[in-house]
Structures are given as C-alpha cells and as structure tokens.
Amino acid sequence: EAGVAQSPRYKIIEKRQSVAFWCNPISGHATLYWYQQILGQGPKLLIQFQNNGVVDDSQLPKDRFSAERLKGVDSTLKIQPAKLEDSAVYLCASSPGTSRMNTEAFFGQGTRLTVV
Amino acid sequence: GQQLNQSPQSMFIQEGEDVSMNCTSSSIFNTWLWYKQDPGEGPVLLIALYKAGELTSNGRLTAQFGITRKDSFLNISASIPSDVGIYFCAGRKGGGSNYKLTFGKGTLLTVNP
C-alpha cells in the first residue's frame, strides 16, 4: 500500500512570496490533516478535512494560509504571503475512517519550508 | 492550543538499557497514540491505545493507557542503536476522527552503542 505522498520535499522562498504544498493521502482514507512542525516541537494541527469538508481549522492563520481538498482526495496548502516564522516542516497525514478505532493518522515525509 | 506534557525531554542511554517515557494532560483523552520520528522523515505510528488501562506491545515496545485517561506511558526494552529518534505521544479527546489529534513536544532518545 502506497503511503502519504507530499511534494515538494524542500522549498526556500523569500518573505512575502507565495508557496503551495501538495498532498496525496493513502487511497481510501477519508480524513486528511495538515500539520505544522516547528523545529524542536511536536506537530501542530492546521486543518483537518473529512472527505472534502473542513472539520477543524481553528489553528489555521486564515489571513495567510488556505487549504482545499476539492474532490475529497488530494489536497493543497497555500501560504500567501509567507513570513519568516512560517519556516517549518509541513506534514500531511491521513486516516482511514471515522469510527473510534480506525482513526490512526499516517504521515507523509513532509515539506521543509525555509523563508528567508 | 492544548499541548500534552511529555517527559523527559531527552534521554541518553547505553545500548541494552530499558527506557521509559510518559505523557500527561490535564484533560481526559479517549485515544492515545505513540509515534517515532527520524530526522527528515514524518512520524511513524508505533502503538495505538483505545481503552483506559489497556496495555499493548509491539516488539520491544510496550505502551499503556492510564486508568485516569489523563496519561500514557511508553517503554522500550533492551534498546538498540536504531531506536534513536524523537518519540511523540498524541491524544484525541473524543471518539471518531472528527476530534483533533494533539501532540506532545517529544522525547529525544540517544542510544550509545
């Protein structure tokens, strides 16, 4: 079974520029997550989709971050404009179902973003 | 946002030693997950716990869901060099995937051969 695919692996941009990340979850997984992981910290949830609907985006900085999952499969996360403090690893994860015992999140390798 | 308190922050041990780390919260969680993250990679799921008091093993790893539902423990027996990495606990308050998964700050494990 193929894992969660993310691209690009690395991205360096200047502040105030825009950037987009792509994620393809494990086939058949209904739930998709975007996490931000700053160096030395645990992942922090940015947004969670159930199929193509948003379940939780309470910690997404909506003035500059946006995400979509139009067909309930792959997803894109965009930052516009980027700030220095956005430098982090952006992790995408997916989980298979909605029942309590089917909700383990499986992670991609992440995209390391450096804003200079 | 809510963070889980994970300890210790780092550990430096000799190969062959046993390791224990834990995660606590002021809130009740219904699911506890333990992940390992290697440098440049995403977290990999090690063990999932769904019931208070549950004790689950995966090879040399054993994890427990605390009776109070506010804590969880991970033990690694007979450590080997490839156990090196960052271990994260994660908890979910509600049942079902529509509840947020919250992560601890991680325990950095170093194993000296």
Side-chain angles (χ1 to χ4, degrees), chain B residues 45-99:
Chain B
L45 182 66
L46 299 173
I47 292 178
L49 302 161
Y50 299 101
K51 289 174 56 177
E54 181 180 354
L55 185 71
T56 297
S57 293
N58 178 8
R60 294 177 296 104
L61 278 62
T62 302
Q64 185 161 24
F65 193 140
I67 291 291
T68 65
R69 297 188 173 192
K70 294 182 178 180
D71 57 7
S72 180
F73 304 87
L74 177 69
N75 296 317
I76 305 174
S77 63
S79 59
I80 58 178
S82 62
D83 290 334
V84 165
I86 304 176
Y87 291 80
F88 289 101
C89 63
R92 195 189 303 276
K93 287 187 176 181
S97 61
N98 56 333
Y99 289 86

Side-chain angles (χ1 to χ4, degrees), chain A residues 90-111:
Chain A
Y90 290 84
L91 294 163
C92 179
S94 68
S95 61
T98 56
S99 65
R100 183 180 176 189
M101 296 185 69
N102 201 20
T103 58
E104 302 97 326
F106 296 88
F107 284 82
Q109 290 182 300
T111 296

Side-chain angles (χ1 to χ4, degrees), chain A residues 34-94:
Chain A
W34 282 103
Y35 282 86
Q36 180 193 59
Q37 187 176 24
I38 293 173
L39 186 66
Q41 297 186 19
K44 183 186 85 170
L45 181 69
L46 292 176
I47 188 167
Q48 178 177 335
F49 293 94
Q50 188 77 21
N51 298 309
N52 61 349
V54 175
V55 173
D56 187 330
D57 64 355
S58 57
Q59 297 190 96
L60 186 75
K62 298 181 185 64
D63 57 333
R64 298 183 301 107
F65 286 64
S66 64
E68 59 183 13
R69 192 186 185 198
L70 291 175
K71 295 182 180 179
V73 182
D74 57 351
S75 176
T76 56
L77 175 69
K78 296 179 182 177
I79 307 175
Q80 179 179 8
K83 294 184 175 181
L84 295 176
E85 60 260 34
D86 297 333
S87 295
V89 175
Y90 290 84
L91 294 163
C92 179
S94 68

Side-chain angles (χ1 to χ4, degrees), chain B residues 10-70:
Chain B
S10 62
M11 303 181 74
F12 188 93
I13 63 170
Q14 295 295 123
E15 182 177 359
E17 289 184 349
D18 297 343
V19 172
S20 291
M21 58 191 78
N22 68 78
C23 204
T24 62
S25 172
S26 56
S27 303
I28 288 174
F29 284 83
N30 284 341
T31 301
W32 287 95
L33 306 173
W34 284 92
Y35 287 86
K36 179 180 180 234
Q37 187 173 30
D38 292 328
E41 302 292 330
V44 174
L45 182 66
L46 299 173
I47 292 178
L49 302 161
Y50 299 101
K51 289 174 56 177
E54 181 180 354
L55 185 71
T56 297
S57 293
N58 178 8
R60 294 177 296 104
L61 278 62
T62 302
Q64 185 161 24
F65 193 140
I67 291 291
T68 65
R69 297 188 173 192
K70 294 182 178 180

